[in-house]
Amino acid sequence: MEKLFGGIEAGGTKFVCSVGNNDLEIIERASYPTTTPEETMALVIGFFKKYEEQLVSIGIGSFGPIDIHRDSRTYGYITSTPKLAWQNYDFVGTMKQHFDLPMAWTTDVNAACYGEYVKGRGDGVNSVVYYTIGTGIGGGALQKGNFVEGFSHPEMGHVLVSRHPEDDFEGVCPFHGHCLEGMAAGPAIEKRLGRKGQDLSEDDPFWEIEADYIAQCAYNTTLMFSPDVIIFGGGVMQQEHLVKKVRARFKELVNDYVKTPALEEYIVTPALGNNAGTIGCLALAREAKLHS
Ligand code: ADP
Ligand code: ZN
């Protein structure tokens, strides 16, 4: 029987469960709403039980913050999330109770970053940074196949940005107000303009402001990591014109101080689209198998 890998992309809105083969081809995928741990995890466990005979490992990319330290008492937990029902939830422990398998455990954005690294924009390069610009903003960075981390995983979506001169919005981040997420994630657009990003026309002048914030993020990322590629995914980046505006503003900000790769190759949207997270989780499961 063919060996299969499992993936769980655990997001604040939905959990996407998948099984895939050694070539990371998705064999089945199902999506469940994020409600309470009891309800959502029962569906997740039910999904994988069907494949119990064939499953060899599971890769989990979760919303956070999460505990990633293997020697910590709360390794595998979702920790101080604003989603109260999931605070201090033992995610990996719950999965291990039902499946005695190696499990990879990282953030949702790290998983998407890994997906792009193995099969998307980062294929063939060493250093990849991935951001999602959706309901929140999160980022993950990979160096030679390893996630950048220290006392915890990065929280790159909450870096500070300089206010655009034509923007008087106070920001919506409950912790920092006008951080990148507070100024540029989907809910910030909606609160500022009274309309969702998907309902704004392509030539709305707001997109220059949005592009400025994302370009500041790309600028800081470039100076801190000098990565091979910076990928911007998530709902807001479905505005196809936006990445071009980001490149143009980034060029102005960098002002020739560093010579980056050609911008069309350097500041990009995900090659895997919405599949980056799923493929990343499956790839992490494949790795977890290798290392166990
Ligand atoms: P999530 O972050 O919940 O996983 P998404 O990445 O789809 O999901 O992000 C949802 C956010 O992106 C919402 O705030 C929504 O208004 C915004 N969004 C979705 N599609 C578009 C679009 N085409 N243009 C601009 N904003 C969008
Ligand atoms: Zn913040």
Side-chain angles (χ1 to χ4, degrees):
M1 232 185 326
E2 190 183 24
K3 298 284 181 211
L4 297 178
F5 302 99
I8 308 174
E9 206 188 339
T13 325
K14 61 183 191 300
F15 276 42
V16 181
C17 297
S18 57
V19 290
N21 62 18
N22 201 48
D23 298 325
L24 306 178
E25 289 160 345
I26 299 166
I27 288 171
E28 194 194 340
R29 171 176 19 203
S31 170
Y32 308 113
T34 310
T35 57
T36 61
E38 294 70 30
E39 272 177 17
T40 306
M41 294 306 286
L43 294 166
V44 168
I45 290 157
F47 175 86
F48 290 113
K49 281 288 172 193
K50 293 181 290 183
Y51 294 96
E52 212 167 12
E53 304 275 282
Q54 285 170 276
L55 267 187
V56 293
S57 54
I58 298 177
I60 307 167
S62 175
F63 72 91
I66 65 173
D67 187 342
I68 56 166
H69 281 289
R70 287 198 169 269
D71 53 359
S72 159
R73 202 175 42 80
T74 53
Y75 171 78
Y77 280 53
I78 296 177
T79 58
S80 52
T81 171
K83 287 187 147 300
L84 295 181
W86 294 84
Q87 260 180 20
N88 303 315
Y89 178 67
D90 184 6
F91 198 140
V92 173
T94 304
M95 288 302 293
K96 287 258 183 194
Q97 275 170 20
H98 295 270
F99 304 95
D100 183 20
L101 297 172
M103 289 190 200
W105 169 245
T106 192
T107 60
D108 45 3
V109 270
N110 271 352
C113 188
Y114 204 72
E116 285 288 322
Y117 172 66
V118 295
K119 237 186 166 175
R121 293 285 194 178
D123 194 6
V125 303
N126 275 324
S127 172
V128 181
V129 180
Y130 182 100
Y131 287 92
T132 182
I133 305 187
T135 307
I137 300 186
L142 269 166
Q143 279 283 345
K144 299 190 174 157
N146 293 312
F147 294 122
V148 172
E149 61 190 38
F151 74 89
S152 185
H153 52 80
E155 284 284 354
M156 303 187 210
H158 292 264
V159 294
L160 291 176
V161 286
S162 302
R163 192 181 297 280
H164 188 280
E166 282 153 40
D167 189 18
D168 59 5
F169 184 58
E170 69 278 15
V172 290
C173 176
F175 294 92
H176 321 110
H178 59 281
C179 68
L180 177 64
E181 176 172 303
M183 296 304 270
I189 301 175
E190 191 176 351
K191 176 128 193 252
R192 185 192 271 111
L193 303 172
R195 274 175 301 159
K196 289 184 191 293
Q198 56 266 49
D199 300 329
L200 293 184
S201 75
E202 191 171 314
D203 52 15
D204 193 293
F206 171 72
W207 291 121
E208 292 296 340
I209 295 176
E210 179 74 10
D212 176 55
Y213 293 127
I214 301 171
Q216 291 187 50
C217 168
Y219 168 91
N220 291 333
T221 303
T222 297
L223 299 186
M224 286 192 293
F225 296 109
S226 309
D228 293 312
V229 63
I230 307 174
I231 305 164
F232 288 105
V236 175
M237 293 309 296
Q238 283 175 30
Q239 294 287 327
E240 281 176 15
H241 55 94
L242 190 54
V243 71
K244 297 189 195 84
K245 294 185 171 73
V246 171
R247 287 181 195 129
R249 182 64 188 133
F250 172 86
K251 189 169 166 26
E252 289 174 1
L253 287 172
V254 171
N255 198 19
D256 290 329
Y257 181 65
V258 286
K259 191 169 170 357
T260 64
L263 293 190
E264 293 69 30
E265 311 279 308
Y266 181 59
I267 296 176
V268 296
T269 51
L272 301 176
N274 291 335
N275 285 337
T278 299
I279 299 205
C281 289
L282 294 173
L284 286 165
R286 194 172 65 176
E287 291 289 312
K289 177 70 193 81
L290 286 175
H291 294 149
S292 67

